[in-house]
Coordinates of all heavy atoms in Angstrom, one line a residue:
M137 N -3.5 2.4 -16.2 CA -3.9 2.6 -14.9 C -3.1 1.5 -14.1 O -3.1 0.3 -14.3 CB -5.4 2.3 -14.7 CG -5.8 2.5 -13.3 SD -7.6 2.5 -13.2 CE -7.9 2.9 -11.6
S138 N -2.4 2.1 -13.0 CA -1.6 1.3 -12.1 C -2.5 0.5 -11.2 O -3.3 1.1 -10.5 CB -0.6 2.1 -11.5 OG 0.2 1.3 -10.6
I139 N -2.1 -0.8 -11.0 CA -2.8 -1.5 -9.8 C -2.2 -1.1 -8.5 O -2.9 -1.4 -7.4 CB -2.7 -3.0 -10.0 CG1 -1.3 -3.4 -9.9 CG2 -3.4 -3.5 -11.3 CD1 -1.0 -4.9 -10.0
F140 N -1.2 -0.4 -8.4 CA -0.6 0.0 -7.1 C -0.9 1.5 -6.8 O -0.3 2.0 -5.8 CB 0.9 -0.2 -7.2 CG 1.3 -1.6 -7.4 CD1 1.9 -2.0 -8.6 CD2 1.1 -2.5 -6.5 CE1 2.3 -3.4 -8.8 CE2 1.5 -3.9 -6.6 CZ 2.1 -4.3 -7.8
K141 N -1.8 2.1 -7.6 CA -1.9 3.5 -7.4 C -2.4 3.9 -6.0 O -1.9 4.9 -5.3 CB -3.1 4.0 -8.4 CG -3.2 5.5 -8.3 CD -4.2 6.0 -9.4 CE -4.3 7.5 -9.3 NZ -5.2 8.0 -10.4
N142 N -3.2 3.1 -5.4 CA -3.8 3.4 -4.0 C -3.1 2.5 -2.9 O -3.7 2.4 -1.9 CB -5.2 3.4 -4.0 CG -5.9 4.4 -4.8 OD1 -5.5 5.5 -4.9 ND2 -6.9 4.0 -5.6
T143 N -2.0 2.0 -3.2 CA -1.3 1.1 -2.3 C 0.0 1.7 -1.9 O 0.7 2.2 -2.7 CB -1.1 -0.3 -2.9 OG1 -2.3 -0.8 -3.5 CG2 -0.4 -1.3 -2.0
D144 N 0.2 1.7 -0.6 CA 1.5 2.4 -0.2 C 2.6 1.3 -0.2 O 2.2 0.0 -0.2 CB 1.3 3.2 1.1 CG 1.5 2.3 2.5 OD1 1.7 1.1 2.3 OD2 1.6 3.0 3.5
L145 N 3.8 1.7 -0.2 CA 4.9 0.7 -0.3 C 5.0 -0.2 0.8 O 5.3 -1.4 0.5 CB 6.3 1.6 -0.3 CG 7.5 0.9 -0.3 CD1 7.7 0.0 -1.6 CD2 8.7 1.7 -0.3
L146 N 4.7 0.1 2.0 CA 4.6 -0.8 3.2 C 3.8 -2.0 2.9 O 4.0 -3.0 3.2 CB 4.5 -0.1 4.4 CG 4.7 -1.0 5.7 CD1 6.0 -1.6 5.8 CD2 4.4 -0.1 7.0
E147 N 2.6 -1.7 2.4 CA 1.6 -2.8 2.1 C 2.0 -3.8 1.1 O 1.9 -4.9 1.2 CB 0.2 -2.1 1.7 CG -0.5 -1.4 2.6 CD -1.8 -0.6 2.0 OE1 -1.7 0.0 1.1 OE2 -2.8 -0.9 2.6
I148 N 2.8 -3.3 0.0 CA 3.3 -4.1 -0.9 C 4.4 -5.0 -0.3 O 4.5 -6.2 -0.5 CB 3.8 -3.2 -2.1 CG1 2.7 -2.6 -2.9 CG2 4.6 -4.1 -3.2 CD1 3.2 -1.3 -3.7
I149 N 5.3 -4.4 0.5 CA 6.4 -5.2 1.1 C 5.7 -6.2 2.0 O 6.3 -7.4 2.1 CB 7.3 -4.2 1.8 CG1 8.0 -3.3 0.8 CG2 8.3 -4.9 2.8 CD1 8.6 -2.1 1.4
E150 N 4.8 -5.8 2.9 CA 4.2 -6.8 3.7 C 3.5 -8.0 3.0 O 3.6 -9.1 3.4 CB 3.2 -6.1 4.7 CG 3.9 -5.1 5.6 CD 3.0 -4.4 6.5 OE1 1.8 -4.1 6.1 OE2 3.3 -4.0 7.6
E151 N 2.9 -7.7 2.0 CA 2.3 -8.6 1.1 C 3.3 -9.6 0.6 O 3.2 -10.9 0.6 CB 1.5 -8.2 0.0 CG 0.7 -9.1 -0.8 CD -0.4 -9.8 -0.1 OE1 -1.0 -9.2 0.8 OE2 -0.8 -10.9 -0.4
Y152 N 4.4 -9.1 0.0 CA 5.5 -9.9 -0.4 C 6.2 -10.8 0.6 O 6.3 -11.9 0.4 CB 6.6 -9.0 -1.1 CG 7.7 -9.8 -1.7 CD1 7.7 -10.2 -2.9 CD2 9.0 -10.0 -0.9 CE1 8.9 -11.0 -3.4 CE2 9.9 -10.7 -1.3 CZ 9.9 -11.3 -2.6 OH 10.9 -11.9 -3.1
A153 N 6.4 -10.2 1.8 CA 7.0 -10.9 3.1 C 5.9 -12.1 3.4 O 6.5 -13.2 3.6 CB 7.3 -10.0 4.1
S154 N 4.8 -11.8 3.4 CA 3.7 -12.8 3.8 C 3.8 -13.9 2.8 O 3.8 -15.1 3.2 CB 2.3 -12.3 3.8 OG 1.4 -13.2 4.1
D155 N 4.0 -13.7 1.5 CA 3.9 -14.7 0.5 C 5.3 -15.5 0.4 O 5.4 -16.6 -0.2 CB 3.7 -14.2 -0.9 CG 2.3 -13.7 -1.1 OD1 1.4 -14.0 -0.2 OD2 2.0 -12.9 -2.0
N156 N 6.3 -15.0 1.1 CA 7.6 -15.5 0.9 C 8.3 -15.9 2.3 O 9.5 -16.1 2.4 CB 8.6 -14.6 0.1 CG 8.1 -14.4 -1.3 OD1 8.4 -15.3 -2.1 ND2 7.5 -13.4 -1.7
G157 N 7.4 -16.0 3.3 CA 8.0 -16.4 4.6 C 8.8 -15.4 5.4 O 9.6 -15.8 6.3
G158 N 8.5 -14.0 5.0 CA 9.3 -13.0 5.8 C 8.4 -12.6 6.9 O 7.3 -13.0 7.1
Y159 N 8.9 -11.5 7.6 CA 8.1 -10.7 8.6 C 7.1 -9.9 7.9 O 7.5 -8.9 7.2 CB 9.0 -10.0 9.5 CG 10.0 -10.8 10.2 CD1 11.4 -10.8 9.9 CD2 9.6 -11.6 11.4 CE1 12.3 -11.6 10.5 CE2 10.5 -12.4 12.0 CZ 11.9 -12.4 11.6 OH 12.7 -13.2 12.4
S160 N 5.9 -10.1 8.0 CA 4.8 -9.5 7.3 C 4.1 -8.3 8.0 O 3.3 -7.6 7.6 CB 3.8 -10.4 6.8 OG 3.2 -11.0 7.8
N161 N 4.5 -8.1 9.4 CA 3.9 -7.0 10.1 C 4.6 -6.9 11.4 O 5.5 -7.6 11.8 CB 2.3 -7.2 10.4 CG 2.2 -8.6 11.2 OD1 2.7 -8.6 12.3 ND2 1.3 -9.5 10.7
E162 N 4.4 -5.7 12.0 CA 5.1 -5.2 13.2 C 4.8 -6.2 14.4 O 5.9 -6.6 15.1 CB 4.5 -3.9 13.6 CG 5.2 -3.1 14.6 CD 4.6 -1.7 14.7 OE1 3.3 -1.6 14.9 OE2 5.3 -0.7 14.6
E163 N 3.6 -6.8 14.5 CA 3.4 -7.7 15.6 C 4.2 -9.0 15.4 O 4.8 -9.6 16.4 CB 1.9 -8.0 15.7 CG 1.1 -6.9 16.1 CD 0.7 -5.8 15.1 OE1 1.0 -6.2 13.9 OE2 0.3 -4.7 15.4
E164 N 4.3 -9.5 14.2 CA 5.1 -10.7 13.9 C 6.5 -10.5 14.2 O 7.3 -11.4 14.9 CB 4.8 -11.1 12.5 CG 5.4 -12.4 12.0 CD 5.1 -12.7 10.6 OE1 3.8 -13.0 10.2 OE2 6.1 -12.7 9.8
L165 N 7.0 -9.4 13.8 CA 8.4 -9.0 14.1 C 8.8 -8.9 15.5 O 9.8 -9.5 16.1 CB 8.8 -7.8 13.3 CG 10.3 -7.4 13.3 CD1 11.2 -8.5 12.6 CD2 10.6 -6.0 12.7
S166 N 7.8 -8.3 16.3 CA 8.0 -8.1 17.7 C 7.9 -9.4 18.4 O 8.6 -9.7 19.4 CB 6.9 -7.2 18.3 OG 7.2 -5.9 17.8
K167 N 7.1 -10.3 18.0 CA 6.9 -11.6 18.6 C 8.2 -12.5 18.4 O 8.6 -13.1 19.4 CB 5.8 -12.5 17.9 CG 5.5 -13.8 18.6 CD 4.4 -14.5 18.0 CE 4.2 -15.9 18.6 NZ 3.3 -16.8 18.0
A168 N 8.7 -12.4 17.3 CA 10.1 -13.1 17.0 C 11.2 -12.5 18.0 O 12.0 -13.3 18.5 CB 10.5 -12.9 15.5
F169 N 11.1 -11.2 18.1 CA 12.1 -10.6 19.0 C 11.8 -11.1 20.5 O 12.9 -11.3 21.1 CB 11.9 -9.0 19.0 CG 12.8 -8.3 20.0 CD1 14.1 -8.0 19.8 CD2 12.2 -7.8 21.3 CE1 15.0 -7.3 20.7 CE2 13.0 -7.3 22.1 CZ 14.3 -7.0 21.9
D170 N 10.6 -11.2 20.9 CA 10.3 -11.6 22.3 C 10.8 -13.0 22.4 O 11.2 -13.4 23.5 CB 8.8 -11.6 22.4 CG 8.3 -10.2 22.6 OD1 9.0 -9.3 23.0 OD2 6.9 -10.1 22.6
E171 N 10.8 -13.9 21.4 CA 11.2 -15.3 21.5 C 12.7 -15.4 21.4 O 13.3 -16.2 22.2 CB 10.5 -16.1 20.4 CG 9.0 -16.2 20.6 CD 8.3 -16.8 19.4 OE1 9.0 -17.0 18.3 OE2 7.1 -17.0 19.4
Q172 N 13.3 -14.6 20.6 CA 14.8 -14.8 20.3 C 15.7 -13.9 21.1 O 16.7 -14.3 21.4 CB 15.0 -14.6 18.7 CG 14.3 -15.5 17.9 CD 14.4 -15.1 16.4 OE1 15.4 -14.5 16.0 NE2 13.4 -15.4 15.6
I173 N 15.3 -12.7 21.3 CA 16.2 -11.7 21.8 C 15.9 -11.2 23.2 O 16.8 -11.0 24.1 CB 16.3 -10.4 20.9 CG1 16.7 -11.0 19.5 CG2 17.3 -9.4 21.4 CD1 18.0 -11.6 19.3
A174 N 14.6 -10.9 23.5 CA 14.2 -10.5 24.8 C 14.7 -11.2 26.0 O 15.2 -10.6 27.0 CB 12.7 -10.4 24.9
P175 N 14.8 -12.5 25.9 CA 15.4 -13.4 27.1 C 16.7 -12.9 27.5 O 17.2 -12.9 28.5 CB 15.2 -14.8 26.7 CG 14.1 -14.8 25.6 CD 14.2 -13.5 25.0
L176 N 17.5 -12.5 26.4 CA 18.9 -12.2 26.6 C 19.0 -10.7 27.2 O 19.8 -10.5 28.1 CB 19.7 -12.3 25.3 CG 19.8 -13.5 24.5 CD1 20.3 -13.4 23.1 CD2 20.5 -14.6 25.3
V177 N 18.0 -9.9 26.8 CA 18.0 -8.5 27.4 C 17.6 -8.7 28.9 O 18.1 -8.0 29.8 CB 17.0 -7.7 26.6 CG1 16.9 -6.3 27.3 CG2 17.5 -7.6 25.2
I178 N 16.7 -9.6 29.2 CA 16.1 -9.7 30.6 C 17.3 -10.3 31.5 O 17.4 -9.8 32.6 CB 14.9 -10.7 30.6 CG1 13.7 -10.0 29.9 CG2 14.6 -11.0 32.1 CD1 12.6 -10.8 29.6
Q179 N 18.1 -11.2 30.9 CA 19.3 -11.7 31.7 C 20.2 -10.6 32.1 O 20.8 -10.6 33.2 CB 20.0 -12.7 30.9 CG 19.4 -14.1 30.8 CD 20.2 -15.0 30.1 OE1 21.1 -14.7 29.3 NE2 19.9 -16.4 30.3
Q180 N 20.4 -9.5 31.1 CA 21.4 -8.5 31.4 C 20.9 -7.4 32.1 O 21.6 -6.6 32.8 CB 22.1 -8.1 30.1 CG 22.8 -9.1 29.4 CD 23.4 -8.8 28.1 OE1 23.2 -7.5 27.7 NE2 24.1 -9.6 27.4
H181 N 19.5 -7.1 32.0 CA 18.9 -6.0 32.6 C 17.7 -6.4 33.4 O 17.9 -6.9 34.5 CB 18.4 -5.0 31.5 CG 19.6 -4.5 30.6 ND1 20.5 -3.5 31.0 CD2 20.0 -4.9 29.3 CE1 21.3 -3.3 30.0 NE2 21.1 -4.2 29.1
S182 N 16.5 -6.1 32.9 CA 15.3 -6.7 33.6 C 14.1 -6.6 32.5 O 14.3 -5.8 31.5 CB 14.9 -6.0 34.9 OG 14.3 -4.7 34.6
E183 N 13.1 -7.2 32.8 CA 11.9 -7.1 31.8 C 11.3 -5.9 31.8 O 10.6 -5.4 31.0 CB 11.0 -8.3 31.9 CG 10.2 -8.3 33.2 CD 9.2 -9.6 33.2 OE1 9.8 -10.7 33.0 OE2 8.1 -9.3 33.3
D184 N 11.5 -5.1 33.0 CA 10.9 -3.8 33.1 C 11.9 -2.7 32.4 O 11.4 -1.5 32.5 CB 10.7 -3.4 34.6 CG 9.8 -4.3 35.2 OD1 8.8 -4.8 34.5 OD2 10.0 -4.7 36.5
D185 N 12.9 -2.9 31.9 CA 13.9 -2.0 31.3 C 13.5 -1.8 29.9 O 14.1 -2.3 28.9 CB 15.3 -2.4 31.6 CG 16.3 -1.3 31.2 OD1 15.9 -0.4 30.5 OD2 17.5 -1.5 31.6
T186 N 12.5 -0.8 29.7 CA 12.0 -0.6 28.4 C 13.0 0.2 27.4 O 13.0 -0.1 26.3 CB 10.7 0.2 28.4 OG1 10.9 1.4 29.2 CG2 9.6 -0.5 29.0
I187 N 13.9 0.8 28.0 CA 14.9 1.5 27.3 C 15.8 0.4 26.7 O 16.2 0.4 25.5 CB 15.7 2.5 28.1 CG1 14.8 3.7 28.5 CG2 17.0 3.0 27.3 CD1 15.3 4.7 29.5
A188 N 16.4 -0.5 27.5 CA 17.2 -1.6 27.0 C 16.5 -2.5 26.0 O 17.1 -2.9 25.0 CB 17.7 -2.5 28.2
M189 N 15.2 -2.7 26.3 CA 14.4 -3.6 25.3 C 14.4 -2.8 24.0 O 14.4 -3.5 22.9 CB 13.1 -3.8 26.0 CG 12.4 -5.1 25.5 SD 13.3 -6.7 25.8 CE 13.1 -6.9 27.5
N190 N 14.0 -1.6 24.0 CA 13.8 -0.8 22.7 C 15.1 -0.7 21.9 O 15.2 -0.8 20.7 CB 13.2 0.6 23.0 CG 11.7 0.4 23.3 OD1 11.0 -0.4 22.9 ND2 11.2 1.4 24.1
E191 N 16.2 -0.5 22.7 CA 17.5 -0.4 22.1 C 17.9 -1.7 21.5 O 18.5 -1.8 20.4 CB 18.6 0.0 23.1 CG 20.0 0.3 22.5 CD 21.0 0.7 23.4 OE1 20.6 1.2 24.6 OE2 22.2 0.7 23.1
A192 N 17.6 -2.9 22.2 CA 18.0 -4.1 21.6 C 17.0 -4.5 20.4 O 17.6 -5.0 19.5 CB 17.7 -5.2 22.8
F193 N 15.8 -4.0 20.4 CA 15.0 -4.3 19.2 C 15.6 -3.5 18.0 O 15.6 -4.0 16.9 CB 13.5 -3.8 19.5 CG 12.5 -4.0 18.4 CD1 12.1 -5.2 18.1 CD2 12.3 -2.9 17.6 CE1 11.1 -5.4 17.1 CE2 11.4 -3.1 16.5 CZ 10.9 -4.3 16.2
N194 N 15.9 -2.2 18.3 CA 16.5 -1.3 17.2 C 17.8 -2.0 16.7 O 18.0 -2.1 15.5 CB 16.8 0.1 17.8 CG 17.3 1.0 16.7 OD1 16.7 1.1 15.7 ND2 18.3 1.5 16.9
N195 N 18.6 -2.5 17.6 CA 19.9 -3.0 17.0 C 19.6 -4.4 16.3 O 20.2 -4.6 15.3 CB 20.8 -3.4 18.2 CG 21.3 -2.1 18.9 OD1 21.4 -0.9 18.3 ND2 21.8 -2.1 20.2
W196 N 18.7 -5.1 16.8 CA 18.4 -6.4 16.2 C 17.8 -6.1 14.8 O 18.1 -6.8 13.8 CB 17.3 -7.2 17.0 CG 16.9 -8.5 16.5 CD1 17.7 -9.6 16.2 CD2 15.7 -8.9 16.1 NE1 17.0 -10.7 15.8 CE2 15.7 -10.2 15.7 CE3 14.4 -8.2 16.1 CZ2 14.5 -10.8 15.2 CZ3 13.2 -8.9 15.7 CH2 13.4 -10.2 15.3
T197 N 16.8 -5.3 14.7 CA 16.2 -5.0 13.3 C 17.1 -4.3 12.5 O 17.1 -4.5 11.2 CB 14.9 -4.1 13.6 OG1 15.2 -2.9 14.1 CG2 13.8 -4.8 14.2
D198 N 18.1 -3.5 12.9 CA 19.2 -3.0 12.1 C 19.9 -4.0 11.4 O 20.2 -4.0 10.3 CB 20.1 -2.1 13.0 CG 21.1 -1.3 12.1 OD1 20.8 -0.7 11.2 OD2 22.3 -1.5 12.5
G199 N 20.3 -5.1 12.2 CA 21.0 -6.2 11.6 C 20.1 -6.9 10.6 O 20.7 -7.3 9.5
L200 N 18.8 -7.2 10.9 CA 17.9 -7.8 10.0 C 17.8 -7.1 8.6 O 17.9 -7.7 7.6 CB 16.6 -7.9 10.4 CG 16.3 -8.9 11.7 CD1 14.9 -8.9 12.1 CD2 16.8 -10.3 11.4
C201 N 17.8 -5.7 8.7 CA 17.7 -4.9 7.6 C 19.1 -5.0 6.7 O 19.0 -5.1 5.5 CB 17.5 -3.4 8.0 SG 17.2 -2.3 6.6
K202 N 20.2 -4.8 7.4 CA 21.4 -5.0 6.7 C 21.6 -6.4 6.0 O 22.3 -6.4 5.1 CB 22.5 -4.7 7.7 CG 22.7 -3.2 8.0 CD 23.9 -3.0 9.0 CE 23.8 -1.5 9.4 NZ 24.7 -1.2 10.5
D203 N 21.1 -7.4 6.7 CA 21.2 -8.8 6.2 C 20.1 -9.1 5.1 O 20.0 -10.1 4.5 CB 21.0 -9.7 7.2 CG 22.2 -9.8 8.1 OD1 23.2 -9.2 7.7 OD2 22.2 -10.4 9.3
G204 N 19.2 -8.0 4.8 CA 18.1 -8.2 3.8 C 16.9 -9.0 4.3 O 16.1 -9.5 3.4
E205 N 16.8 -9.2 5.5 CA 15.6 -10.0 6.1 C 14.4 -9.2 6.3 O 13.3 -9.7 6.3 CB 16.0 -10.7 7.4 CG 17.1 -11.8 7.2 CD 17.5 -12.5 8.4 OE1 16.5 -13.0 9.1 OE2 18.7 -12.7 8.8
I206 N 14.6 -7.9 6.4 CA 13.5 -7.0 6.4 C 13.9 -5.8 5.5 O 15.0 -5.5 5.3 CB 13.1 -6.4 7.7 CG1 14.2 -5.6 8.5 CG2 12.6 -7.6 8.7 CD1 13.8 -4.8 9.7
H207 N 12.9 -5.2 4.9 CA 13.0 -4.1 4.0 C 13.3 -2.8 4.8 O 13.0 -2.6 5.9 CB 11.7 -4.0 3.1 CG 11.9 -3.0 2.0 ND1 11.8 -1.7 2.2 CD2 12.2 -3.2 0.7 CE1 11.9 -1.1 0.9 NE2 12.2 -2.0 0.1
D208 N 13.9 -1.9 4.1 CA 14.2 -0.4 4.8 C 13.0 0.1 5.2 O 12.9 0.8 6.3 CB 15.0 0.4 3.7 CG 16.4 0.1 3.4 OD1 16.9 -0.9 4.0 OD2 16.9 0.6 2.4
E209 N 11.9 -0.1 4.5 CA 10.7 0.7 4.8 C 10.1 0.0 6.1 O 9.6 0.7 7.0 CB 9.6 0.4 3.7 CG 8.4 1.2 3.8 CD 8.6 2.6 3.5 OE1 9.7 3.1 3.2 OE2 7.5 3.4 3.7
Q210 N 10.3 -1.4 6.4 CA 9.8 -1.9 7.5 C 10.8 -1.5 8.7 O 10.2 -1.1 9.8 CB 9.9 -3.4 7.5 CG 9.0 -4.1 6.5 CD 9.3 -5.5 6.3 OE1 10.3 -5.9 5.8 NE2 8.4 -6.5 6.7
Y211 N 12.0 -1.4 8.5 CA 12.9 -0.9 9.4 C 12.6 0.6 9.9 O 12.6 0.9 11.0 CB 14.4 -1.0 9.0 CG 15.4 -0.5 9.9 CD1 15.6 -1.0 11.1 CD2 16.1 0.8 9.7 CE1 16.7 -0.6 12.0 CE2 16.9 1.3 10.7 CZ 17.2 0.6 11.8 OH 18.2 1.1 12.6
D212 N 12.2 1.3 9.0 CA 11.9 2.8 9.2 C 10.5 2.9 9.9 O 10.4 3.8 10.8 CB 11.8 3.7 8.0 CG 13.2 3.9 7.3 OD1 14.2 3.7 8.2 OD2 13.4 4.2 6.2
K213 N 9.6 2.0 9.6 CA 8.2 2.2 10.1 C 7.8 1.3 11.3 O 7.0 1.7 12.1 CB 7.1 2.0 9.0 CG 7.3 2.8 7.8 CD 6.4 4.0 7.8 CE 6.7 4.9 6.7 NZ 5.9 4.7 5.5
Y214 N 8.4 0.3 11.5 CA 8.1 -0.7 12.6 C 8.7 -0.2 13.9 O 9.8 0.2 14.0 CB 8.5 -2.1 12.2 CG 7.7 -2.8 11.3 CD1 8.1 -4.1 10.9 CD2 6.6 -2.3 10.6 CE1 7.5 -4.8 10.0 CE2 6.0 -3.0 9.6 CZ 6.3 -4.3 9.3 OH 5.6 -5.0 8.4
C215 N 7.9 -0.3 15.0 CA 8.3 -0.2 16.4 C 8.1 -1.4 17.1 O 7.4 -2.2 16.7 CB 7.5 1.0 17.1 SG 7.8 2.6 16.3
Y216 N 8.8 -1.6 18.2 CA 8.6 -2.7 19.1 C 7.2 -2.7 19.9 O 6.8 -1.6 20.5 CB 9.7 -2.9 20.1 CG 9.6 -4.0 21.1 CD1 9.4 -5.2 20.6 CD2 9.4 -3.7 22.4 CE1 9.2 -6.4 21.5 CE2 9.3 -4.8 23.4 CZ 9.1 -6.1 22.9 OH 8.9 -7.1 23.7
V217 N 6.4 -3.7 19.5 CA 5.0 -3.7 20.1 C 4.8 -5.0 20.9 O 3.8 -5.5 21.1 CB 3.9 -3.5 19.1 CG1 4.1 -2.1 18.5 CG2 4.0 -4.5 18.1
G218 N 6.0 -5.6 21.3 CA 5.9 -6.9 22.0 C 5.4 -6.8 23.3 O 5.0 -5.8 23.9
K219 N 5.5 -8.1 24.1 CA 4.9 -8.0 25.4 C 5.7 -7.3 26.5 O 5.2 -7.1 27.5 CB 4.8 -9.5 25.8 CG 6.1 -10.3 26.0 CD 5.8 -11.8 26.4 CE 7.0 -12.6 26.4 NZ 6.7 -14.0 26.8
Y220 N 6.9 -6.9 26.1 CA 7.7 -6.0 27.1 C 7.7 -4.5 26.7 O 8.4 -3.7 27.2 CB 9.1 -6.6 27.2 CG 9.3 -7.9 27.5 CD1 9.5 -8.9 26.5 CD2 8.9 -8.3 28.8 CE1 9.6 -10.3 26.9 CE2 9.0 -9.7 29.2 CZ 9.3 -10.7 28.2 OH 9.4 -12.0 28.5
S221 N 6.8 -4.1 25.7 CA 6.7 -2.7 25.2 C 5.9 -2.0 26.3 O 5.1 -2.6 27.0 CB 6.1 -2.6 23.9 OG 4.8 -3.0 23.9
D222 N 6.1 -0.7 26.3 CA 5.3 0.1 27.4 C 4.0 0.8 26.8 O 3.7 0.7 25.7 CB 6.2 1.3 27.9 CG 6.9 2.1 26.8 OD1 6.8 1.8 25.7 OD2 7.4 3.2 27.2

């Protein structure tokens, strides 16, 4: 009997990330975006430009995924839920 039978892949990845200092949920990833990237988006556009904000989040997380900082499953499932989301 497998201990992972009733656990989905994202839950396993989030647990691993939590134990190893990675991004363990959508809110945490969005908060990091708000701190690191959103100010640059606001400088170029505005904080009300949700299209620019979502595009920047997508581009940023694409880079994180390619660099191995987030798992493909997180990249596929997470959306921007930060303070500038609609």
